[in-house]
Each structure stands twice: as structure tokens, then as C-alpha cells.
């Protein structure tokens, strides 16, 4: 998990500060093994105070103390429906681009809607979704109707569809061990077909290998591709990590005891989400729910 340095810098100091951190890692980071030649291992070994002292030394000045943290404890920050912008009279439309896979035809439609009804701007979110912005309130319905004609973009999407994120998988990445995007989309289709939608938006992340480009280890439910040498080598397998907490009290997620084959991932997700919907306490987050069930009843929802 990342650690705060408790350092405050202004905008004009960002570039030199990042350069200084990179220089520290290049000169003093671990080089014994390719597996551990990562900044995270250096930070874990040093702790934040030493890195802060090293940074001050490279920059040649004392570092200003950061104000008290106001970290959010929620993974999911994407808009879900339509909403009003800060600019008076203007609105945005949130569209779900399932696992970040968008057809060229639908992108042209979205661009046309942005030009005709808004300012011509499209915004990409960290959850691989698209916002059409700067639309007057009187044109929202017509713009939504036009966007409803795009198969790979959905307005008023389910929590599951707008909350799934995926790396490219082995289709476009030589490091990936498994296919991810098609599986992520099929899992969402399965959830919607079975009418199993999270009670609140969740981040469901699919990563094709341990490099974890989709941040499966920092999601409500994370799936990380792996190889299972003891099983059928032709089958994709996934580790499942659930219950990760972020914010002011971060905690690592709990990994299932063994990886599961790709053909069981959809059913496993449905089981986890169904259990969350049926047995969560009032306003209980998924990490709190999952940890409570893991400690009290074991992994009841593992199938």
C-alpha cells in the first residue's frame, strides 16, 4: 500500500519534486532482483520519514508539512446518471463503456452528440467510462436518446456495468497471462441477465497478470490473471482479492485460498454480489461486509 509523505508542494514544484524522487530511486533503489527493483520495495524498506529526508536533501531545502489528510474512503467516484455541472445551466451525461471497449462508430456518435448539444468536449474517467459535458438542461433528453443508439456506450447503466474496469489482457499485451476484456463484459452481461446488480456502485477490476494495470489489488473485487500449473494449462485462471480498503485507514484485500478457472468467474461474482445485497448491514460498504463475513463465517460466498 502507498504511504503518505505528508509533504505539501505547489504546482510549480511538481516537476522538480517528481524528478528528485526518480533520481533517488535510480541511485539508491534495490537492484538485486528484477522482481524487487521497484520503488514500492524501496519505500517499504525505508519508511516515509527517510524518503522525506532524502527528498529534502536532493531538493536542497526544507519541505513544507502537508495539511491534515481528507482522503475519501470510496473507490467509486464516477458519475452514474446525468447531473448538473458547476457551470450554471450546464449538465453532463455519464455513459458506461464496458471494460473500456468502445467501437469507432459509437465514438463518432458520442462526438457528434457533444458537438451538436454541448461544447464538443468528451471527458474520459478513471473507470474507463465517458462523460458528455456542457449540455444545456433543455437538451438532455434528446442527447440521451441519441446516445441510446450506441451499443458500446450505455446511458443509465447498471452499477455493475459502469463499475467494471479491465486491462487490455493478452490480446494486446505480451505480459498478460489471460484474456480480460471479453470476460469482464460477459460477467456484466451475466449479472444483468440474472438481475444481480450491486446495491451500491462497486469497482470490479480485471488484471491480466501480477503487474496489475487495472489495480485489482485496489478494488472492491479484484481479479488477477495467473497460471495454475497443477490444473489444465489451456484454461485461464484468476486470483480473487476482495475487501480492500482505501482512504485514511487502508488495508490490503483478502485473497481467495486458490485461483479459480475463468469459466467460474461470472458465477463467483454473482455469488459475492448477491450475498452483499442480501446480507449487508445498513450503509455497510463492501470491504466492511466482506471482512465481517470472512472473519465470522469464512468465505461463505466462494463457489
Amino acid at each position: 500500500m502507498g504511504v503518505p509523505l505528508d509533504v505539501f508542494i505547489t504546482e510549480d514544484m511538481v516537476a522538480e519534486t517528481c524528478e528528485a524522487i526518480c533520481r533517488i530511486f535510480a541511485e539508491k533503489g534495490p537492484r538485486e532482483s528484477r522482481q524487487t527493483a521497484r520503488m514500492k520495495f524501496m519505500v517499504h524498506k525505508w519508511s516515509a520519514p527517510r524518503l522525506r529526508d532524502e527528498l529534502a536533501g536532493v531538493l536542497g531545502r526544507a519541505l513544507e508539512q502537508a495539511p491534515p489528510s481528507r482522503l475519501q474512503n470510496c473507490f467509486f467516484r464516477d458519475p452514474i446518471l446525468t447531473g448538473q455541472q458547476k457551470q450554471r445551466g450546464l449538465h453532463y451525461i455519464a455513459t458506461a463503456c464496458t471494460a473500456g471497449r468502445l467501437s469507432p462508430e459509437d465514438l463518432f456518435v458520442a462526438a457528434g452528440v457533444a458537438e451538436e448539444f454541448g461544447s464538443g468536449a468528451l471527458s474520459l474517467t478513471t473507470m474507463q467510462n465517458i462523460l458528455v459535458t456542457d449540455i444545456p438542461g433543455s437538451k438532455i433528453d434528446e442527447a440521451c436518446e441519441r446516445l441510446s443508439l450506441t451499443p458500446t456506450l450505455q446511458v443509465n447503466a447498471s452499477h455493475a456495468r459502469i463499475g467494471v474496469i479491465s486491462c487490455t489482457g493478452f490480446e494486446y499485451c505480451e505480459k498478460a497471462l489471460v484474456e480480460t476484456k471479453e470476460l469482464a463484459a460477459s460477467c456484466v452481461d451475466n449479472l444483468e441477465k440474472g438481475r444481480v446488480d450491486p446495491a451500491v456502485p462497486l469497482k470490479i477490476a480485471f488484471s491480466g497478470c501480477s503487474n496489475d494495470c487495472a489495480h485489482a489489488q485496489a478494488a472492491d473485487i479484484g481479479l488477477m490473471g495467473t497460471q495454475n500449473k497443477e490444473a489444465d494449462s489451456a484454461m485461464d485462471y484468476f486470483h480473487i482479492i476482495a475487501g480492500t480498503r482505501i482512504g485514511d485507514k487502508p488495508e490490503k484485500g483478502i485473497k481467495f485460498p486458490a485461483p479459480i478457472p475463468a469459466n467460474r468467474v461470472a458465477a463467483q461474482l454473482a455469488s459475492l454480489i448477491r450475498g452483499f445485497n442480501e446480507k449487508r448491514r445498513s450503509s455497510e460498504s463492501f470491504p466492511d461486509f466482506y471482512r465481517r463475513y470472512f472473519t465470522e463465517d469464512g468465505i461463505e460466498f466462494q463457489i
Side-chain angles (χ1 to χ4, degrees):
M1 303 293 285
V3 294
L5 292 183
D6 292 327
V7 172
F8 177 80
I9 60 174
T10 56
E11 183 178 354
D12 61 307
M13 299 164 59
V14 170
E16 64 172 343
T17 303
C18 291
E19 181 182 351
I21 294 174
C22 291
R23 184 178 295 117
I24 292 169
F25 174 66
E27 295 176 356
K28 301 184 179 182
R31 292 293 183 271
E32 296 81 8
S33 167
R34 290 185 65 183
Q35 282 70 37
T36 59
R38 302 287 188 272
M39 185 178 293
K40 62 181 179 181
F41 293 107
M42 183 187 77
V43 174
H44 178 73
K45 181 179 180 179
W46 282 11
S47 77
R50 179 180 171 184
L51 180 56
R52 190 165 54 243
D53 292 342
E54 293 277 352
L55 181 59
V58 173
L59 292 173
R61 62 172 181 270
L63 300 175
E64 184 178 348
Q65 180 75 27
S69 172
R70 292 185 293 178
L71 295 174
Q72 297 184 35
N73 294 319
C74 176
F75 291 106
F76 199 93
R77 298 169 189 172
D78 266 29
I80 299 173
L81 304 173
T82 61
Q84 187 170 345
Q85 298 176 192
K86 292 182 178 179
Q87 298 90 338
R88 187 174 181 179
L90 297 181
H91 298 72
Y92 62 80
I93 301 174
T95 65
C97 179
T98 310
R101 179 154 286 179
L102 175 66
S103 72
E105 294 80 10
D106 289 353
L107 181 57
F108 276 112
V109 172
V113 170
E115 290 180 347
E116 182 176 349
F117 298 100
S119 63
L122 296 175
S123 297
L124 306 181
T125 77
T126 58
M127 293 295 294
Q128 300 178 329
N129 297 313
I130 293 180
L131 301 180
V132 185
T133 59
D134 305 326
I135 300 178
S138 60
K139 298 182 178 180
I140 283 287
D141 291 341
E142 188 177 356
C144 286
E145 184 177 355
R146 185 80 60 83
L147 287 169
S148 68
L149 303 176
T150 56
T152 58
L153 286 177
Q154 291 196 17
V155 181
N156 297 330
S158 66
H159 288 164
R161 189 169 297 277
I162 207 166
V164 70
I165 185 172
S166 170
C167 75
T168 61
F170 66 34
E171 185 176 3
Y172 295 108
C173 178
E174 62 180 10
K175 297 183 183 299
L177 302 174
V178 298
E179 194 283 323
T180 55
K181 285 196 178 290
E182 291 294 335
L183 177 62
S186 66
C187 286
V188 172
D189 291 341
N190 180 71
L191 290 171
E192 292 182 345
K193 184 177 180 180
R195 298 185 178 181
V196 181
D197 198 33
V200 296
L202 301 180
K203 180 178 180 180
I204 305 170
F206 287 75
S207 283
C209 70
S210 58
N211 286 308
D212 198 15
C213 292
H215 299 167
Q217 296 184 83
D220 290 295
I221 304 174
L223 299 103
M224 185 183 297
T226 186
Q227 294 176 329
N228 191 340
K229 297 180 180 179
E230 299 178 359
D232 181 5
S233 60
M235 176 69 72
D236 290 349
Y237 278 78
F238 286 84
H239 286 297
I240 296 183
I241 306 105
T244 302
R245 284 198 183 104
I246 65 170
D248 56 353
K249 296 180 180 179
E251 288 187 80
K252 292 182 178 179
I254 302 170
K255 183 186 290 187
F256 276 28
I260 66 171
N263 60 7
R264 290 175 52 196
V265 167
Q268 181 60 78
L269 279 177
S271 179
L272 281 169
I273 294 172
R274 188 180 294 110
F276 173 61
N277 289 345
E278 294 175 354
K279 301 189 178 185
R280 70 187 287 250
R281 293 170 179 168
S282 177
S283 301
E284 188 174 38
S285 68
F286 183 86
D288 290 342
F289 160 80
Y290 184 77
R291 289 174 179 277
R292 175 168 61 85
Y293 258 91
F294 184 88
T295 55
E296 294 178 2
D297 300 305
I299 306 179
E300 178 179 337
F301 305 111
Q302 183 176 1
I303 62 173

